[in-house]
Amino acid sequence: MSAGAQILVVEDNEKNMKLFRDVLLAAGYRTLEATTGGEAVALALEHSPDLVLMDIQLPDIDGVEALGRLRADGRTASVPVLALTAQAMEGDRERFLAAGFDGYISKPVNVADFVSTVKRYCESHSRSTS
Ligand code: MN
């Protein structure tokens, strides 16, 4: 059951953040929002969200570094983290999976695909932790 799941959205682009927020709230999720990598790590450690959507290019530490910090802490080590990036270049998917991301969403997002991907990862996380 993923209804009401809490999703941490890490995105420094205001327009993208608004879209993700609107779509996730409409789908019944609760959101936490961070615009920097440092803020993302602090919020994740405090709230242990059900899923993290992590932009790669951020103003301070990048999404890969932020992911490393989450994986290094027992409170967030097993939280699913999806890379959220515009770098839709050949080989990027493999690069982000190798870095430890659970999956990958490329921007601009297709809203229906975005929601179904979020739903899938929230459900797999709640199964694995129940
Ligand atoms: Mn960015």
Side-chain angles (χ1 to χ4, degrees), residues 64 67 71 83 91-104:
V64 175
L67 172 73
R71 291 293 186 245
D92 268 5
R93 184 183 162 75
E94 289 67 28
R95 187 160 67 83
F96 293 124
L97 295 180
F101 285 100
D102 294 279
Y104 174 96

Side-chain angles (χ1 to χ4, degrees), residues 11-13 16 55-59 84 107:
E11 170 62 75
D12 63 330
N13 178 287
N16 287 341
D55 187 19
I56 297 299
Q57 293 174 317
L58 292 164
L84 197 56
K107 297 181 284 191

Side-chain angles (χ1 to χ4, degrees), residues 3-115:
Q6 186 176 56
I7 300 176
L8 171 58
V9 184
V10 188
E11 170 62 75
D12 63 330
N13 178 287
E14 202 174 315
K15 187 161 157 270
N16 287 341
M17 180 64 95
K18 177 175 169 25
L19 172 67
F20 299 146
R21 177 195 306 128
D22 289 350
V23 168
L24 291 170
L25 292 179
Y29 295 103
R30 294 173 296 136
T31 59
L32 289 166
E33 299 177 12
T35 57
T36 69
E39 190 186 0
V41 172
L43 277 176
L45 291 175
E46 184 181 351
H47 297 279
S48 293
D50 297 288
L51 177 68
V52 179
L53 303 179
M54 181 78 79
D55 187 19
I56 297 299
Q57 293 174 317
L58 292 164
D60 54 345
I61 58 170
D62 71 9
V64 175
E65 169 65 22
L67 172 73
R69 296 190 191 180
L70 297 182
R71 291 293 186 245
D73 192 298
R75 290 169 286 179
T76 50
S78 65
V79 172
V81 184
L82 305 182
L84 197 56
T85 178
Q87 300 167 345
M89 292 159 52
E90 188 76 16
D92 268 5
R93 184 183 162 75
E94 289 67 28
R95 187 160 67 83
F96 293 124
L97 295 180
F101 285 100
D102 294 279
Y104 174 96
I105 295 175
S106 57
K107 297 181 284 191
V109 299
N110 170 293
V111 169
D113 291 346
F114 174 76
V115 172

